[in-house]
Amino acid sequence: MASPIHSRRDLLRAAGIIAGSSLLPRLTFAQSMNRADPTPADGTADYTLAIAAKPVEIAPKRIISTKNYNGQFPGPLLRFTEGQKVTIDIHNDTDTPEQLHWHGQFVSVDVDGSAEEGTPFIAPHGSRRITFTPRPSGFRFYHTHVRAGADLSKGQYSGLVGPVYIEPKDNPGAYDHEVFLTMKEFQPTLSRGGDMAMDFLSPAAAVKALQERGEQAMKASLAKGNPHGFEVGYDAFTINGKMLGHGEPIRVKQGERVLFHVLNGSATEIRSLALPSHTFTVIAMDGNPLPQPVRVPGLWLGTAERISAIVEMNHPGVWVMGDLSDDDRHHGMGIVVEYAGYKGKPQWLAPKPFKWNYAHFGATNASTPDPDETFEMLFEKQNAASEGFNLWTINGVAYPSAQMMAPPLFRVREGKRYRLRMRNASDDIHPIHLHRHSFELSRIAGQPSSGIMKDVVMVGGYQEVEVDFIANNPGSTLFHCHQQLHMDFGFMALFDYVL
Ligand SMILES: [Cu+2]
């Protein structure tokens, strides 16, 4: 199977590749596993995170055992201050190597938490002390970064997800209190079909050439007698680790302005969120302030996306804040919002249908500067090509399943501005993530955009999206689809810095 690490021999092979790279300090296997334990120079860490399989009660008598941080789901909220160094001890109390990724932060390869970039593993029953300077400010998160392959107890199918908030130098908005929400499914199972929401993205226009290419490939595969590749479905849906109605409600008062920090912590799913009779004023995406606040009836978030939005509490009652999917909400994807002095059955009302267009959140008349270079990227699916799983390629190359650091597909020079022209020849939406950098959305399905800085963007089925980034954080940099089932089966590539 594509799961990269099944044995000590695989690990040795992976470590050999790391040690053989001229871009990294030369480490033996033992060093790369143990380097994780530097002698603590100055006593205690600011935070300690322990990775272990521990029971989590998502509803009364519904207890699941899943790997998580510190015995809780979501992992503890880590509050940092921008530019102020932190030390974190990570203990791995499991039998398999782990990686802890600081999603959305401009950290070094050594602590980023991606074996593909060369971050050392946290050895089974080992630990690692890391130090880094948190940046940029805003809503980030941390999560495991091991591949799961066909093993749905591993990777982000587990509960290894937690929020990070990096305090900005100045406060971005006026609000009465903050609420962090992590949306996450549990109890995954493999299936042969999916019901991914598709029609919410705007513009909706598909690129004909991409569609023909993708449909032809699919037709050819099915004609050979292949089934559809595996997808993943879930039995339990939670917000902050509780199924709808089973956690503490969010208690509010009329007239309050509540700042919600919403994280899609899913391994594979796109999520939505609405609060009946209320609107969201989005102030930041992926933790980065927007050029101006934008009011919307509800939110859509691809895997790993974050939205910070203010809700003015001006419609008293007891409400279900939940996913637009009735099925997923009925299976738990929601949380109760209760106004002071109000009791009763929480009410759900579907908002009027709305489309999600990233460009609406951008600057109104600005355009992005021309890049120094544009990289063309074609995303393709080979249906059921890897033991029943879809295999994914970028420009024809699937990231090797048995290898940690693969040869880089793209090379950048420090200080230059690059444009990624991503062309999706599949009918799936891909939440695309670039490690250790932010990018600016410059074109969404044909529509120009500017001023929106993100680290994940959904690329619609048979659509094109362009993003620009400045190469300002040297070191090996992983680019991948954040859908676990896609990244584990080829949908990754490395950028490397050259002189
Ligand atoms: Cu994908």
Side-chain angles (χ1 to χ4, degrees):
M1 281 284 132
S3 181
I5 292 179
H6 276 316
S7 67
R8 190 178 154 79
R9 200 183 54 197
D10 285 348
L11 256 180
L12 283 164
R13 192 166 56 209
I17 287 153
I18 292 167
S21 165
S22 60
L23 303 161
L24 286 159
R26 288 184 169 269
L27 301 172
T28 63
F29 170 72
Q31 280 170 330
S32 85
M33 297 303 283
N34 290 328
R35 195 160 98 99
D37 314 302
T39 312
D42 51 357
T44 55
D46 298 296
Y47 285 102
T48 299
L49 294 171
I51 302 164
K54 290 276 170 71
V56 177
E57 191 181 72
I58 58 172
K61 294 190 183 149
R62 189 144 180 194
I63 294 165
I64 53 171
S65 181
T66 182
K67 279 175 225 165
N68 55 48
Y69 297 109
N70 296 3
Q72 66 180 81
F73 182 84
L77 169 65
L78 306 183
R79 276 192 179 269
F80 302 143
T81 304
E82 189 179 23
Q84 201 172 302
K85 219 178 233 192
V86 289
T87 300
I88 300 182
D89 284 339
I90 309 164
H91 303 292
N92 177 7
D93 301 326
T94 75
D95 297 329
T96 49
E98 270 296 338
Q99 286 282 357
L100 192 150
H101 171 49
W102 298 101
H103 187 117
Q105 290 201 48
F106 305 160
V107 293
S108 71
V109 160
D110 184 57
V111 303
D112 189 48
S114 162
E116 290 78 9
E117 294 173 344
T119 316
F121 279 101
I122 308 154
H125 304 285
S127 60
R128 183 161 195 242
R129 167 167 286 199
I130 57 168
T131 297
F132 62 93
T133 303
R135 71 189 174 106
S137 66
F139 186 27
R140 316 278 155 208
F141 79 118
Y142 59 101
H143 64 82
T144 182
H145 208 288
V146 297
R147 296 178 221 167
D151 182 349
L152 303 186
S153 72
K154 291 176 74 180
Q156 226 177 299
Y157 299 114
S158 72
L160 289 171
V161 173
V164 168
Y165 195 78
I166 305 175
E167 301 290 350
K169 280 161 194 149
D170 30 55
N171 219 327
Y175 50 86
D176 295 294
H177 62 258
E178 280 177 306
V179 176
F180 288 81
L181 301 177
T182 301
M183 305 178 80
K184 181 85 168 73
E185 311 79 7
F186 290 102
Q187 300 179 309
T189 48
L190 289 176
S191 68
R192 283 289 183 188
D195 58 349
M196 191 195 270
M198 290 300 295
D199 55 358
F200 64 94
L201 283 178
S202 169
V207 176
K208 210 162 165 241
L210 292 173
Q211 184 159 6
E212 281 170 4
R213 195 180 172 100
E215 285 177 352
Q216 260 171 30
M218 191 68 199
K219 219 160 60 188
S221 172
L222 295 176
K224 279 191 249 162
N226 291 320
H228 284 265
F230 285 116
E231 301 291 345
V232 172
Y234 302 88
D235 289 340
F237 295 74
T238 70
I239 293 184
N240 289 351
K242 296 287 184 190
M243 295 175 74
L244 174 59
H246 298 302
E248 286 294 302
I250 300 167
R251 295 192 172 88
V252 301
K253 293 191 188 88
Q254 185 166 7
E256 266 183 342
R257 287 159 61 81
V258 179
L259 175 55
F260 287 94
H261 295 293
V262 187
L263 161 65
N264 179 349
S266 179
T268 58
E269 302 238 308
I270 291 163
R271 298 261 57 107
S272 56
L273 191 70
L275 177 60
S277 304
H278 296 75
T279 57
F280 293 87
T281 301
V282 179
I283 60 167
M285 283 184 151
D286 295 349
N288 306 313
L290 295 174
Q292 70 276 320
V294 179
R295 204 157 106 166
V296 289
L299 310 176
W300 282 93
L301 303 102
T303 310
E305 283 190 297
R306 289 92 65 210
I307 292 177
S308 302
I310 293 170
V311 177
E312 206 168 312
M313 294 298 168
N314 53 12
H315 215 107
V318 183
W319 302 103
V320 171
M321 187 184 207
D323 199 286
L324 296 173
S325 159
D326 291 337
D327 198 35
D328 295 354
R329 205 177 55 256
H330 293 153
H331 285 87
M333 192 52 88
I335 188 165
V336 174
V337 172
E338 187 182 281
Y339 278 73
Y342 286 79
K343 289 274 170 251
K345 192 173 181 282
Q347 301 297 307
W348 169 259
L349 298 165
K352 272 195 221 130
F354 64 95
K355 300 284 182 191
W356 191 250
N357 185 341
Y358 286 116
H360 288 167
F361 298 91
T364 44
N365 51 7
S367 62
T368 52
D370 285 337
D372 294 299
E373 191 180 343
T374 297
F375 294 116
E376 302 282 342
M377 292 180 162
L378 180 65
F379 304 152
E380 288 181 288
K381 169 163 82 178
Q382 294 175 17
N383 177 60
S386 180
E387 299 182 46
F389 289 86
N390 299 325
L391 187 68
W392 294 92
T393 62
I394 300 172
N395 295 347
V397 180
Y399 200 96
S401 62
Q403 197 171 341
M404 286 298 128
M405 287 190 87
L409 278 197
F410 306 98
R411 289 183 173 79
V412 296
R413 287 187 164 77
E414 190 173 4
K416 300 268 189 232
R417 183 180 176 98
Y418 294 90
R419 179 160 296 167
L420 309 180
R421 182 174 294 142
M422 301 183 281
R423 307 177 68 231
N424 178 10
S426 75
D427 60 354
D428 301 65
I429 297 173
H430 300 292
I432 299 293
H433 174 46
L434 182 67
H435 280 228
R436 307 193 312 107
H437 297 75
S438 296
F439 48 67
E440 181 174 6
L441 308 189
S442 53
R443 191 172 283 269
I444 306 292
Q447 183 172 358
S449 132
S450 72
I452 309 164
M453 301 302 298
K454 289 179 68 29
D455 52 59
V456 180
V457 65
M458 288 185 274
V459 181
Y462 303 130
Q463 292 197 332
E464 292 179 1
V465 169
E466 293 178 12
V467 300
D468 295 4
F469 74 100
I470 293 167
N472 56 7
N473 193 8
S476 201
T477 298
L478 190 64
F479 169 94
H480 65 94
C481 178
H482 218 285
Q483 217 275 30
Q484 183 98 43
L485 199 54
H486 299 176
M487 69 176 283
D488 288 354
F489 291 90
F491 208 144
M492 298 195 284
L494 280 171
F495 280 79
D496 198 14
Y497 278 72
V498 293
L499 293 177

